[in-house]
Amino acid sequence: MPAEEFVAGWISGALGLVLGHPFDTVKVRLQTQTTYRGIVDCMVKTYRHESLLGFFKGMSFPIASIAVVNSVLFGVYSNALLVLTATSHQERRAQPPSYTHVFVAGCTGGFLQAYCLAPFDLIKVRLQNQTEPRAKQPGSPPPRYRGPVHCAASIFQAEGTRGLFRGAWALTLRDTPTLGIYFVTYEWLCRQFTPDGQNPSSGTVLVAGGFAGITSWVAATPLDVIKSRMQMAGLKQRAYGGLLDCMVSSARQEGLGVFFRGLIINSARAFPVNAVTFLSYEYLLLSWG
Ligand SMILES: C[N+](C)(C)CCCC[C@H](N)C(=O)O
């Protein structure tokens, strides 16, 4: 099983992640809290209240976890294609796989990475939603979780392993089809701008990666909102009877627009993150020959 794809997936994922984290924090807050009027208001309040550091809350854990998550995604994707089409990464330019195979391989990678991602994503969302400033102010209560390890340990103590997988179903439903879309968009755009049999140029990879990110995030946003809410359930949010209950009651209370919360910020984040992810992934694999 080619291992380079796993390593390339990890490094490229980490680079993309740092770039996108401030957008991600604003998104999670907009999706789960009602105190902000919009993107700018949320940014201003976060900055005033928590300084620049506020935007990077909950980042240390995703950085550690991206090693697992992105390498599972890209590693499984590439190896699934190997099984489906009997071509390695290097051979795929000369013999491009069909879009159906790309889609199936992407969904397989998406499904498996969702399970690895679930506990990390839960902790990220919980930490991002702590709006208390870092420096302790007299009279204000301390944040509930002291950091990622404390957060994981408290959830585990209170609810066991199941608690750590809160929202995992919504996450799996969000990621399985949308990561299929992700790789299909990337492949399709690369092929549009690249002569047959050649490697896509860096510019093409950046643009194709960026749009692959946007397309898959647009498709993923409705379930992203539900996922974030289910992860917060029982804390700041009311508890839901399940995924469907969360969807229905969110829509009833806030209208259908609720499913598009965070769409603009998700897309703005997705372009640079995924442009950098794909560029570094392709570059690393090329340089390892
Ligand atoms: C499938 N879904 C749209 C949720 C994510 C797809 C892109 C994954 C990338 N690591 C990122 O964070 O943008």
Side-chain angles (χ1 to χ4, degrees):
M1 181 157 84
E4 306 94 78
E5 273 93 343
F6 286 95
V7 181
W10 162 37
I11 300 177
S12 56
L15 287 173
L17 188 114
V18 177
L19 207 65
H21 199 77
F23 293 95
D24 196 71
T25 300
V26 174
K27 175 202 83 175
V28 164
R29 289 183 176 190
L30 285 175
Q31 284 179 336
T32 57
Q33 301 186 25
T34 43
T35 40
Y36 305 112
R37 282 195 306 270
I39 297 173
V40 178
D41 185 46
C42 179
M43 284 166 78
V44 170
K45 283 192 178 135
T46 300
Y47 182 72
R48 276 216 193 113
H49 203 54
E50 301 157 68
S51 84
L52 267 187
L53 283 177
F55 293 97
F56 289 95
K57 275 191 184 160
M59 192 179 75
S60 58
F61 222 43
I63 282 284
S65 66
I66 201 83
V68 187
V69 175
N70 227 54
S71 74
V72 168
L73 173 62
F74 279 85
V76 171
Y77 167 72
S78 192
N79 283 286
L81 269 186
L82 182 68
V83 172
L84 289 168
T85 63
T87 51
S88 68
H89 184 81
Q90 292 83 355
E91 293 159 347
R92 268 174 224 142
R93 290 294 160 216
Q95 294 160 264
S98 73
Y99 290 118
T100 314
H101 284 152
V102 171
F103 184 74
V104 172
C107 291
T108 314
F111 181 80
L112 289 175
Q113 68 99 47
Y115 262 84
C116 307
L117 176 64
F120 295 114
D121 193 65
L122 172 74
I123 287 158
K124 177 195 72 113
V125 166
R126 294 268 172 109
L127 293 177
Q128 283 174 317
N129 265 323
Q130 302 202 123
T131 48
E132 295 84 358
R134 219 159 248 243
K136 224 185 126 17
Q137 274 164 7
S140 68
R144 182 186 186 108
Y145 304 121
R146 290 195 292 272
V149 178
H150 178 239
C151 177
S154 339
I155 298 174
F156 183 74
Q157 256 166 16
E159 303 165 72
T161 324
R162 270 189 72 112
L164 288 171
F165 282 85
R166 207 182 257 275
W169 249 113
L171 186 70
T172 311
L173 282 179
R174 182 196 80 173
D175 280 8
T176 305
T178 52
L179 281 162
I181 295 175
Y182 180 67
F183 286 105
V184 168
T185 313
Y186 175 72
E187 272 300 314
W188 184 77
L189 283 171
C190 277
R191 289 181 204 176
Q192 298 309 304
F193 300 110
T194 313
D196 279 351
Q198 282 183 25
N199 282 322
S201 68
S202 311
T204 302
V205 170
L206 281 174
V207 172
F211 278 108
I214 293 186
T215 321
S216 87
W217 271 111
V218 167
T221 298
L223 274 165
D224 188 48
V225 175
I226 300 306
K227 180 236 27 136
S228 299
R229 290 181 170 214
M230 298 199 60
Q231 288 172 324
M232 288 306 288
L235 280 177
K236 294 188 180 173
Q237 220 91 55
R238 50 162 288 205
Y240 300 106
L243 203 138
L244 214 61
D245 178 39
C246 179
M247 281 176 140
V248 172
S249 65
S250 297
R252 270 217 190 109
Q253 278 162 22
E254 295 159 71
L256 285 178
V258 74
F259 294 117
F260 300 100
R261 275 228 205 142
L263 183 76
I264 292 177
I265 194 112
N266 260 342
S267 311
R269 172 189 169 280
F271 194 92
V273 169
N274 293 289
V276 167
T277 300
F278 272 105
L279 186 68
S280 39
Y281 175 74
E282 295 282 3
Y283 176 80
L284 288 169
L285 285 181
L286 206 66
S287 62
W288 291 334

